[in-house]
Structure formats: C-alpha cells, structure tokens
Amino acid sequence: LWCPRTRSTATVHIEMLEAHGLALFDEFALSFHLHFHKLLKWLVALPMLLMVAILMAFRAPGDDGEGGLSLSAALPLTEHSGNHLH
C-alpha cells in the first residue's frame, strides 16, 4: 500500500448551483499523517492505563498485605430500611 513520505494537506472546495440559481459553497481541510498509528496507540492505551491506576489506588486493604484506599472508606454505604418514606 503506497504511503506518502511527508505530511500532506489539502482543502476540498465544493460548489453547488441549484435550479433556482442559488449558489452554495462549502470547503473543508484534509490532512494525511504518516505516523497516525503512534497517536492511535496512545488513544487506546491511555484510558486503560488510567483505569488500572484508579483500581490500584482504590484496592481493598489486605489484598496484598499493604494498605490502600478502600472504596468502602471513600464511599461509605449507609444502612436504611425500605419501609420509611422521607
């Protein structure tokens, strides 16, 4: 598959003339990035790494003998009965 060796950009310009004589114009820029796979790699890896860091920070104490933040300590659950209407 052929791939340009340099970063290429272009502008696409579209003109349309309708039956009543109204002219419509639009344009948008396009670019081809040779090393897009490097950006794609980080777009996939960063959310996963961020989630692993969050899960490691909030692991339950005693899992590996070390302390750590506990989800139950960070978000305490209160006991309540479903019989009471507030």
Side-chain angles (χ1 to χ4, degrees):
L1 188 61
W2 181 80
C3 181
R5 297 192 184 274
T6 60
R7 181 176 174 184
S8 303
T9 59
T11 301
V12 176
H13 183 78
I14 300 172
E15 294 183 29
M16 185 173 74
L17 185 63
E18 69 171 22
H20 300 290
L22 183 61
L24 304 168
F25 303 95
D26 196 9
E27 65 181 32
F28 56 93
L30 293 176
S31 64
F32 179 82
H33 299 279
L34 181 63
H35 300 288
F36 75 94
H37 62 279
K38 292 178 183 178
L39 176 63
L40 185 61
K41 172 183 69 174
W42 287 111
L43 287 175
V44 170
L46 282 178
M48 185 180 67
L49 293 174
L50 183 63
M51 223 30 231
V52 166
I54 291 171
L55 290 174
M56 296 282 291
F58 287 103
R59 66 183 182 272
D63 283 349
D64 55 16
E66 295 180 12
L69 298 176
S70 168
L71 281 177
S72 60
L75 303 169
L77 300 174
T78 58
E79 293 183 22
H80 65 280
S81 172
N83 296 331
H84 301 286
L85 295 175
H86 297 282

